[in-house]
Amino acid sequence: MSLSYIFKRLLGMVPLLLGVSLILFGVLHLAPGGPLDVYADNPSVTQEALDNMKRAFGLDQPLPVQYFRWVTAFFQGEWGFSIRSAQPVMEEVLARVPATLMLSGSAFLLALIVALPLGILSATRRYTGVDYFITLMSFLGISMPVFWLALMLQLLFAVQWKILPSAGMQTIGDGSLPDLLRHLILPVFILAFASVAGWSRYMRSSMVEVLSQDYIRTARAKGVSSRRVTYSHAFRNALIPVVTVVALDSASILSGAVITETIFAWPGLGRLFIESMNGRDYPVLMALLMVGSFALVLSNLLADLAYSLIDPRIRYD
């Protein structure tokens, strides 16, 4: 893949992100209520104070003016101030990034390590007990609500058996690595379980299709071992469709797992999104939505890079 192609793709992100920002800004500001509605029913907040807050945050200007000022400042790195905490938005977002990277990154790697071998095993043992068991567990993982499974595991491991913490990132007064790992177990499992279920099915379907190709039958006819046929000939070609799904799901690493982080009180981007949504903190919401959009667009570029690495025949000029 040439550097010029990557440069063109990066340039193409700019108008795409501008369009996304316009839609997100309009949807947020056209929704009923506003960021200052939380103060409207407070008897200690006067109308004069509300008017001063509107002027301070630029909410007294027409929507086109608000959007132009916001988007100009945003792409210059000035994300404004949080309405809830009066802290710089960029500082609030960056403070939550390490926790989200730790949680979602661990779940992503675990899901990848487990899903690919399961998909290959299910494809090579088609219509056997192993295939049926993996298929059953995959359907359970796809259909089971994440919040329900998280609550059940909390009830079982934290409340009943008391062997794992129910929520949080660390125990108060204990900042050790073993304590952090114990807090990671449940949320990482919840995030990885759903991904393993989906990715293993994609891997199985792709492997089944590749294993039925003529060149695979030719390799077997020449006496190549089944293990070498599977991992040296079929696996790499079967990865192409799977890479697409995995790359798109990898955007969750930056955008955060909203439900899981909220249930387990994990101080990441997902929980910050819920807190900002409940508090109608528009500057933080817009920043988080734009970070998620950028992660999704970037994941598409990374998928293209992965295609050319997996299959040298794929070239981008």
Side-chain angles (χ1 to χ4, degrees), residues 14 17-18 21 67 70-79 290:
V14 177
L17 291 175
L18 282 174
S21 68
Y67 172 75
W70 173 82
V71 75
T72 303
F74 185 86
F75 283 99
Q76 292 177 351
E78 299 176 4
W79 294 5
M290 288 301 297

Side-chain angles (χ1 to χ4, degrees), residues 7-314:
F7 182 70
K8 289 178 182 179
R9 286 292 301 271
L10 292 175
L11 283 181
M13 290 183 183
V14 177
L16 179 60
L17 291 175
L18 282 174
V20 170
S21 68
L22 179 61
I23 295 173
L24 293 175
F25 191 90
V27 170
L28 279 180
H29 285 76
L30 292 177
L36 301 182
D37 277 11
V38 293
Y39 304 105
D41 297 329
N42 191 334
S44 61
V45 179
T46 63
Q47 185 61 43
E48 182 181 358
L50 286 174
D51 294 338
N52 291 334
M53 293 177 67
K54 285 183 178 180
R55 284 192 295 271
F57 289 105
L59 299 175
D60 58 334
Q61 300 294 324
L63 277 182
V65 176
Q66 291 185 43
Y67 172 75
F68 179 77
R69 289 181 175 178
W70 173 82
V71 75
T72 303
F74 185 86
F75 283 99
Q76 292 177 351
E78 299 176 4
W79 294 5
F81 292 86
S82 169
I83 295 177
R84 295 181 302 111
S85 63
Q87 298 297 316
V89 173
M90 182 174 288
E91 290 184 7
E92 286 207 356
V93 172
L94 292 179
R96 304 290 188 106
V97 168
T100 290
L101 287 177
M102 185 186 305
L103 174 61
S104 299
S106 301
F108 180 82
L109 291 177
L110 177 62
L112 203 60
I113 293 171
V114 175
L116 297 186
L118 284 181
I120 295 172
L121 180 63
S122 183
T124 54
R125 302 284 185 86
R126 272 191 299 171
Y127 310 126
T128 64
V130 173
D131 183 26
Y132 292 141
F133 177 75
I134 295 175
T135 300
L136 174 63
M137 296 305 296
S138 298
F139 286 159
L140 284 176
I142 294 172
S143 60
M144 191 177 299
V146 173
F147 70 90
W148 182 85
L149 180 60
L151 292 174
M152 292 301 102
L153 292 183
Q154 275 185 332
L155 180 63
L156 183 62
F157 288 96
V159 179
Q160 297 293 334
W161 294 347
K162 294 182 172 59
I163 59 176
L164 290 174
S166 61
M169 188 172 174
Q170 289 180 330
T171 303
I172 298 177
D174 186 358
S176 63
L177 179 60
D179 180 65
L180 175 62
L181 294 177
R182 290 179 67 247
H183 282 81
L184 270 171
I185 292 175
L186 286 180
V188 165
F189 176 81
I190 293 298
L191 282 178
F193 186 63
S195 296
V196 167
W199 295 353
S200 63
R201 298 307 298 168
Y202 280 105
M203 191 69 229
R204 180 191 183 278
S205 176
S206 184
M207 279 293 294
V208 167
E209 182 179 354
V210 171
L211 289 173
S212 63
Q213 298 296 317
D214 291 339
Y215 72 91
I216 297 294
R217 286 194 289 268
T218 302
R220 285 174 173 166
K222 289 181 177 181
V224 181
S225 65
S226 297
R227 184 179 183 85
R228 187 177 177 185
V229 167
T230 301
Y231 292 99
S232 298
H233 297 278
F235 175 66
R236 193 166 184 174
N237 290 322
L239 273 179
I240 298 295
V242 181
V243 165
T244 304
V245 179
V246 172
L248 293 177
D249 288 349
S250 66
S252 63
I253 293 179
L254 288 179
S255 58
V258 176
I259 297 176
T260 304
E261 288 188 0
T262 303
I263 292 177
F264 290 99
W266 191 265
L269 295 177
R271 189 180 178 194
L272 178 62
F273 180 84
I274 294 296
E275 294 172 354
S276 302
M277 186 171 60
N278 291 335
R280 293 180 177 271
D281 197 342
Y282 286 9
V284 178
L285 282 175
M286 283 299 302
L288 291 174
L289 291 171
M290 288 301 297
V291 167
S293 301
F294 175 76
L296 186 60
V297 174
L298 183 62
S299 67
N300 281 291
L301 176 59
L302 294 178
D304 288 344
L305 292 173
Y307 295 154
S308 60
L309 291 176
I310 294 172
D311 191 345
R313 296 172 300 177
I314 300 177

